[in-house]
Amino acid sequence: MQNLIHLNLDAMEISNESTVKKPKRLTSVVWNHFERVRKADVCYAVCVHCNKKLSGSSNSGTTHLRNHLMRCLKRSNYDVSQLLSAKRKRKDTNVAFANITFDEGQKKDEYVKPIMKYDPDERKDEVISLGSSRFDQERSRHDLARMIILHGYPLTMVDHVGFKVFVKNLQPMFEVVPNSVMENSCMEIYEKEKQKMNDMLSKLHSRINLAVEIWSSAEKAEYLCLTAHYIDENWRLQKKILNFVTLDSSHTEDMLPEVIIRCLMDWNVDSKLFALTFDDCSTDDDIVLKIKERMLQNRPCSSNGQLFDVRSAAHVLNLIVQDALEALREVTQKIRGSIRYVKSSQVTQGKFAEISQQVEINSQRSLVLDCPIRWNSTYAMLETALEYRNAFNVLQENDSEYFSALTDIEWEWASSITGYLKLFVEITNVFSGNKCPTANIYFAEICDVHIQLIDWCKSPDEFLSSTALKMKAKFDKYWSKCSLALAMAAILDPRFKMKLVEYYYSQIYGSTALERIKEVSDGIKELFNAYSICSTLVDQGSALPGSSLPSTGNDSRDKLKGFDKFLHETSQSQNAISDLDKYLEEPVFPRNCDFNILNWWKVHTPRYPILSMMARDVLGTPMLTVFPESAFSTEGRLLDNSRSSLNPDTRQALICAQDWLRTDNELNPSSSHYALTLQVEAN
């Protein structure tokens, strides 16, 4: 077909002839790009861009002229856009240019040119017309690299035949570069965005919290992902990946603290660090201690750095769930076998449906098999199977080939363990479904787990109580490290303050609750005093916003390092009530579903200037490191094959740059990037 089209076009191409004026006005927009000439009784159309001559007879139409313009390499870039827009002016397009209308009877200079909003670094508000633009190979290559980074496409896509054909048909002038050149383009974007990130972090007045995660790949390689969490000047919770380091054989556990410290120092944020959150609750305490010793010297801290070491709540929940599932493993296998048997044939399914009606089971849910690596699917399988318990019992009595039947005690165990899992599913949904996961949302949920575990350990059934004791042992290790940080974040929620701590601790600790409550009260006062001292030094010019406490080195002035604290404490009794006391003494804020804690603190910063500084850092602490889509997974974070096959520097560049470039607007199809204007960034 393509050869026939070229033959037809070639047949219409005419040898050089003399030019004459058009005898009459031509109504098609295509004639803005051709001169009509006549020799004897024959009319020709001469392209004003390349001087090629084609048939200009009224019987020939204009389709061949449009086709020529589409492949004419000398015409300006906007011409084709006008032609296509004129041809399809009544159709909606995915990239919608505002107010583009064409009247083929209009003159060339009367056309409304399509508008593209363009955003170069040095002229961000400039709006240019496609009519005055030319094709830019370098900018197009930059846009392709940006697309590859933003959407996680493999670098090798530029070598794919289908991609090359698509690009050439879309824009013949674009030169598809090889994989290696595209990799360099991506690295250029990474370096540019890294400098922006450096500038932003250097100007950040609040401290940052660092989430430490270990990723893996199908090849069993391991990677260290460091993500900064902080609340910015506009009281918005931010999360940015700083490093994605490939851990080779030289990166043993002893080396891990040095790798983390080096990354922090490279970003020059070691003095801004407030807390570290590890994704693994079993992370060696010595690793944390080494980092703590290096980082806590010049940082306001509480209770000898108890706030510094935080563990992911999702990880401890997964550990507890695995204990429960392991205890029920044999029963779960029988349930899987029962479901497989029922689904093995249409006859068996029909028989089971009849039995279900006989025993008056009205469940609207169908039996489902789980995906073993996602424990919420195992919960759903168990919960549904329990609804059909009576039907399975009757099936056992009437079908001699059914060998996976459960005993009554096994059904009871399944019911109890499923009840345990239900609590963890609900809590994990609360955590992963929160769009602004500030640290205050975790305390109440974790306390509920604590109370339930205490209750489950009292079960008269030895199987259930022993399972609960194993679960509680893992929880207690987490609680000992994170309870203070969780409680402080809850106190800084104006809907709860100390009242929530008093409420839950009385249920958890009973007769020793007052001692535990005092520990929390003393801890938050100690942290507040540290911020107050730092604030005083800032006012005196001895420190900058967001900086640490003064150095505790060997300088002679450090002999008076305790004087600042003494002066602050003695001055407190003479001055007005502190931010913290004022905040705690005022009534709690009414609870409602629309409450936004960051907006509340933003509005109340003038009223609590020092406490708000502390609230920004505490509330920005990540209590959860897992992504929502991985919250129920029993496997760790896995890197895809296209990324794991790259060299370490390129891998880090693509992963970090993707995170920095990704914004809600860029990923939302209804945003301005996909609506009436197309906003791009220049090289």
Side-chain angles (χ1 to χ4, degrees):
M1 178 60 73
Q2 189 173 4
N3 291 334
L4 289 176
I5 292 174
H6 284 301
L7 287 173
N8 289 337
L9 291 174
D10 292 340
M12 294 180 181
E13 295 180 2
I14 310 298
S15 60
N16 293 335
E17 300 290 348
S18 60
T19 302
V20 297
K21 291 185 178 181
K22 294 177 288 188
K24 63 178 180 178
R25 183 182 179 187
L26 302 171
T27 59
S28 174
V29 66
V30 78
W31 289 107
N32 289 306
H33 308 275
F34 290 88
E35 288 289 341
R36 194 173 194 184
V37 299
R38 180 183 296 276
K39 183 177 181 181
D41 295 330
V42 182
C43 289
Y44 315 130
V46 182
C47 176
V48 299
H49 305 292
C50 66
N51 292 324
K52 180 165 285 189
K53 295 179 176 59
L54 299 97
S55 173
S57 169
S58 58
N59 295 330
S60 301
T62 58
T63 300
H64 67 293
L65 303 181
R66 293 178 186 273
N67 291 335
H68 169 76
L69 286 178
M70 288 293 292
R71 60 196 183 111
C72 178
L73 299 181
K74 292 187 178 182
R75 55 101 177 102
S76 58
N77 205 35
Y78 75 98
D79 296 326
V80 172
S81 297
Q82 287 185 332
L83 287 169
L84 293 178
S85 298
K87 186 176 181 181
R88 302 178 303 201
K89 62 182 178 179
R90 291 185 177 88
K91 297 182 179 179
D92 294 328
T93 59
N94 289 333
V95 180
F97 295 104
N99 300 324
I100 303 176
T101 58
F102 287 94
D103 180 353
E104 293 189 345
Q106 285 180 302
K107 294 181 180 179
K108 180 177 180 180
D109 57 355
E110 292 176 347
Y111 290 115
V112 179
K113 306 276 177 54
I115 300 299
M116 175 182 287
K117 190 174 181 182
Y118 186 64
D119 185 21
D121 287 342
E122 67 278 5
R123 302 177 69 181
K124 292 187 176 180
D125 297 326
E126 179 184 12
V127 177
I128 63 174
S129 167
L130 284 176
S132 62
S133 69
R134 300 277 180 177
F135 171 73
D136 189 330
Q137 168 71 20
E138 186 176 0
R139 194 183 83 186
S140 297
R141 175 176 54 82
H142 173 92
D143 290 341
L144 176 57
R146 185 182 177 94
M147 180 189 76
I148 288 173
I149 293 172
L150 185 60
H151 299 288
Y153 299 139
L155 285 169
T156 53
M157 71 176 291
V158 297
D159 297 327
H160 296 169
V161 174
F163 176 76
K164 291 180 178 180
V165 171
F166 169 74
V167 171
K168 281 300 179 184
N169 286 333
L170 188 67
Q171 173 50 270
M173 296 181 68
F174 180 70
E175 179 183 351
V176 179
V177 297
N179 186 351
S180 58
V181 176
M182 186 53 57
E183 182 176 343
N184 291 335
S185 298
C186 291
M187 294 299 292
E188 291 173 8
I189 295 174
Y190 165 72
E191 293 296 339
K192 178 180 175 182
E193 295 300 322
K194 183 177 180 180
Q195 185 58 51
K196 291 181 183 178
M197 185 63 57
N198 254 319
D199 295 342
M200 183 278 298
L201 290 175
S202 66
K203 297 174 184 177
L204 188 66
H205 283 209
S206 64
R207 291 177 173 80
I208 69 166
N209 300 277
L210 194 71
V212 182
E213 300 174 85
I214 300 296
W215 290 43
S216 62
S217 67
E219 295 79 18
K220 305 302 180 183
E222 288 192 335
Y223 313 94
L224 175 69
C225 181
L226 301 180
T227 307
H229 295 246
Y230 59 91
I231 295 173
D232 64 20
E233 299 303 306
N234 294 317
W235 285 90
R236 293 175 301 189
L237 185 64
Q238 303 285 359
K239 180 174 71 171
K240 303 291 182 182
I241 295 177
L242 299 183
N243 293 92
F244 197 87
V245 181
T246 302
L247 298 176
D248 55 32
S249 55
S250 66
H251 290 150
T252 62
E253 284 196 350
D254 292 338
M255 289 294 295
L256 193 58
E258 293 301 321
V259 174
I260 295 173
I261 292 169
R262 186 167 63 249
C263 289
L264 291 171
M265 296 182 72
D266 287 344
W267 283 100
N268 197 27
V269 295
D270 48 308
S271 63
K272 291 178 178 286
L273 189 62
F274 180 77
L276 275 172
T277 302
F278 292 85
D279 63 344
D280 190 346
C281 291
S282 60
T283 300
D284 192 340
D285 289 343
D286 289 340
I287 294 176
V288 182
L289 183 61
K290 289 178 182 179
I291 301 173
K292 185 187 297 187
E293 289 174 349
R294 290 281 298 272
M295 296 297 172
L296 290 185
Q297 296 177 2
N298 303 323
R299 189 189 65 89
C301 56
S302 172
S303 303
N304 296 320
Q306 287 188 46
L307 294 182
F308 185 82
D309 182 9
V310 181
R311 305 300 167 98
S312 174
H315 190 267
V316 71
L317 292 181
N318 272 323
L319 288 177
I320 292 172
V321 165
Q322 293 314 304
D323 278 339
L325 291 177
E326 176 59 26
L328 199 67
R329 181 168 53 86
E330 293 182 4
V331 175
T332 304
Q333 290 287 13
K334 284 188 174 183
I335 290 177
R336 289 193 187 105
S338 297
I339 295 174
R340 288 193 184 98
Y341 180 76
V342 169
K343 290 179 171 290
S344 62
S345 69
Q346 292 291 335
V347 174
T348 309
Q349 290 186 55
K351 181 191 296 185
F352 190 78
E354 291 178 5
I355 293 174
S356 298
Q357 290 181 349
Q358 292 172 9
V359 297
E360 299 181 345
I361 295 175
N362 299 317
S363 177
Q364 300 300 312
R365 296 194 289 183
S366 301
L367 293 171
V368 290
L369 284 170
D370 65 333
C371 174
I373 64 171
R374 295 192 64 82
W375 60 266
N376 60 327
S377 71
T378 303
Y379 161 75
M381 179 187 72
L382 295 173
E383 187 181 45
T384 305
L386 284 165
E387 295 180 4
Y388 289 90
R389 172 179 176 175
N390 292 336
F392 280 115
N393 289 336
V394 174
L395 180 66
Q396 177 190 9
E397 298 170 358
N398 294 277
D399 191 335
S400 59
E401 297 183 2
Y402 172 46
F403 300 111
S404 300
L406 280 69
T407 64
D408 288 341
I409 188 62
E410 287 175 332
W411 279 117
E412 292 301 321
W413 289 344
S415 178
S416 296
I417 296 297
T418 302
Y420 297 177
L421 296 179
K422 181 179 181 180
L423 173 66
F424 300 130
V425 168
E426 291 173 349
I427 291 176
T428 304
N429 281 330
V430 170
F431 291 165
S432 61
N434 197 297
K435 295 181 179 179
C436 185
T438 46
N440 59 299
I441 70 172
Y442 298 92
F443 179 73
E445 304 293 343
I446 295 298
C447 284
D448 279 341
V449 172
H450 200 166
I451 293 169
Q452 287 297 324
L453 284 170
I454 293 172
D455 185 56
W456 295 339
C457 289
K458 299 176 183 177
S459 172
D461 188 305
E462 184 179 351
F463 169 80
L464 296 176
S465 61
S466 62
T467 301
L469 285 169
K470 291 179 183 178
M471 296 161 67
K472 191 174 184 300
K474 289 185 172 63
F475 178 86
D476 286 344
K477 184 177 180 180
Y478 167 81
W479 180 258
S480 66
K481 290 183 177 296
C482 303
S483 59
L484 182 60
L486 291 166
M488 284 193 182
I491 293 170
L492 292 171
D493 188 326
R495 299 169 297 172
F496 305 133
K497 302 187 179 181
M498 282 296 300
K499 294 297 182 182
L500 193 67
V501 176
E502 294 168 0
Y503 169 75
Y504 276 114
Y505 274 30
S506 63
Q507 299 178 64
I508 294 171
Y509 294 111
S511 60
T512 62
L514 291 179
E515 297 174 13
R516 300 288 187 168
I517 293 170
K518 187 177 185 302
E519 290 176 3
V520 175
S521 178
D522 291 344
I524 197 167
K525 287 178 181 178
E526 183 180 342
L527 183 62
F528 176 78
N529 288 337
Y531 272 82
S532 298
I533 295 170
C534 190
S535 176
T536 302
L537 293 173
V538 170
D539 293 339
Q540 295 172 352
S542 301
L544 296 174
S547 66
S548 326
L549 285 177
S551 173
T552 56
N554 296 321
D555 194 284
S556 60
R557 287 172 294 175
D558 285 340
K559 295 176 182 178
L560 298 176
K561 62 183 180 181
F563 176 70
D564 292 318
K565 184 175 181 181
F566 169 78
L567 183 64
H568 171 75
E569 291 174 347
T570 55
S571 300
Q572 283 284 36
S573 60
Q574 303 170 9
N575 296 333
I577 187 172
S578 72
D579 280 7
L580 179 61
D581 291 334
K582 180 168 56 178
Y583 169 80
L584 293 176
E585 289 176 5
E586 291 173 348
V588 296
F589 192 79
R591 289 197 304 122
N592 63 77
C593 58
D594 297 326
F595 179 75
N596 185 315
I597 191 170
L598 296 184
N599 281 346
W600 191 94
W601 277 105
K602 180 179 181 180
V603 170
H604 288 81
T605 293
R607 181 170 177 80
Y608 310 110
I610 299 175
L611 189 61
S612 64
M613 292 169 52
M614 188 176 86
R616 178 179 291 168
D617 297 336
V618 172
L619 295 175
T621 304
M623 299 294 179
L624 197 75
T625 58
V626 70
F627 279 49
E629 59 270 20
S630 305
F632 295 100
S633 176
T634 59
E635 297 184 337
R637 298 293 303 278
L638 291 175
L639 193 66
D640 62 78
N641 292 332
S642 66
R643 291 289 187 260
S644 62
S645 62
L646 300 170
N647 70 67
D649 290 338
T650 303
R651 178 165 44 243
Q652 175 170 254
L654 292 179
I655 291 174
C656 291
Q658 180 187 46
D659 184 69
W660 302 338
L661 293 175
R662 181 184 288 152
T663 65
D664 290 339
N665 283 340
E666 284 172 315
L667 296 182
N668 183 0
S670 64
S671 71
S672 58
H673 287 259
Y674 296 87
L676 296 181
T677 60
L678 178 65
Q679 188 168 356
V680 293
E681 182 176 348
N683 194 358

